[in-house]
Amino acid sequence: MSDLPLIDIIIPNYNKANYLEDCLNSVISQTYKNWKIYLVDDNSTDHSKKILEKFEKSNNFNIYYLKENVGPANCRNMGIKNSDSDYVAFLDSDDLWPTNKLEVQIKSMLENNYAFTYTDYSFFYNNDMGKQKLTNLPDIYNFNKFIMNSSMSTSSIILKREILQKIPFEQVMH
């Protein structure tokens, strides 16, 4: 599987300690193993740091602790800036991935030469996985449909870095 592309997974975290370990374990348990995590902790005040300390020594974890809260978009930008693979995935620290998410999605991207993909997702309520609700997103978005009503989840997206390199954006933090 080492000939398959590396996927950098960008995870912003702010006070999601109650979900964080499950989130990270959902990445570790992926059937697709060629990934690195870039987690940016946005100056959490809960026990997130204690949880992250368990993962700090792992080779495929890059964890950054901010000294001030700057919001998830800036955390994602910092993760993107520090990562360098051809593919970038996003995961919110209170979300979970099914074990084959990366494998199925990157396989589809490679077979179809897609530069941007997303998946449908389920909501679960009050940690009750028995009350999941699928969103039933459309298979294809055109530009107008996307700007009018996109309910795709950031945590479902994988894209080629080349897309990000075409978008000018500025880092607000230092």
Side-chain angles (χ1 to χ4, degrees):
M1 201 177 283
S2 61
D3 58 330
L4 293 173
L6 177 66
I7 303 172
D8 288 337
I9 302 165
I10 311 300
I11 305 175
N13 178 64
Y14 179 68
N15 289 343
K16 298 296 184 190
N18 292 341
Y19 306 98
L20 186 56
E21 191 162 4
D22 288 340
C23 170
L24 297 175
N25 283 329
S26 81
V27 176
I28 291 169
S29 66
Q30 288 295 300
T31 54
Y32 189 91
K33 299 295 184 187
N34 198 13
W35 51 261
K36 281 190 179 181
I37 286 178
Y38 292 80
L39 188 141
V40 181
D41 184 79
D42 199 10
N43 196 33
S44 291
T45 56
D46 64 0
H47 62 283
S48 289
K49 186 169 186 174
K50 186 98 172 137
I51 292 165
L52 292 172
E53 287 171 352
K54 299 176 188 178
F55 299 94
E56 285 178 338
K57 290 188 174 32
S58 299
N59 288 338
N60 50 350
F61 275 74
N62 302 281
I63 300 173
Y64 306 90
Y65 297 97
L66 302 184
K67 296 192 186 317
E68 63 182 83
N69 183 271
V70 296
N74 285 312
C75 290
R76 287 187 192 100
N77 290 347
M78 181 180 180
I80 291 166
K81 183 180 176 187
N82 285 292
S83 68
D84 61 0
S85 72
D86 288 338
Y87 290 86
V88 177
F90 299 97
L91 177 59
D92 290 341
S93 58
D94 59 351
D95 288 346
L96 308 171
W97 281 346
T99 56
N100 65 343
K101 186 248 197 247
L102 290 177
E103 181 180 4
V104 169
Q105 197 167 353
I106 196 69
K107 181 180 178 191
S108 176
M109 291 181 79
L110 295 170
E111 287 175 356
N112 296 291
N113 198 29
Y114 293 146
F116 179 98
T117 60
Y118 60 94
T119 65
D120 210 343
Y121 57 96
S122 297
F123 289 103
F124 59 92
Y125 301 95
N126 299 323
N127 294 328
D128 184 351
M129 295 301 280
K131 294 183 180 179
Q132 293 184 24
K133 178 181 177 241
L134 195 63
T135 60
N136 295 313
L137 294 175
D139 290 338
I140 296 175
Y141 276 101
N142 63 29
F143 181 74
N144 289 331
K145 186 187 272 187
F146 180 80
I147 61 171
M148 293 305 290
N149 182 16
S150 169
S151 43
M152 73 177 65
S153 169
T154 306
S155 293
S156 78
I157 294 171
I158 299 179
L159 51 83
K160 285 185 115 175
R161 180 173 302 278
E162 66 191 31
I163 292 174
L164 296 170
Q165 292 168 336
K166 295 175 183 175
I167 302 169
F169 62 90
E170 241 181 82
Q171 193 92 4
V172 174
M173 66 185 94
H174 300 50

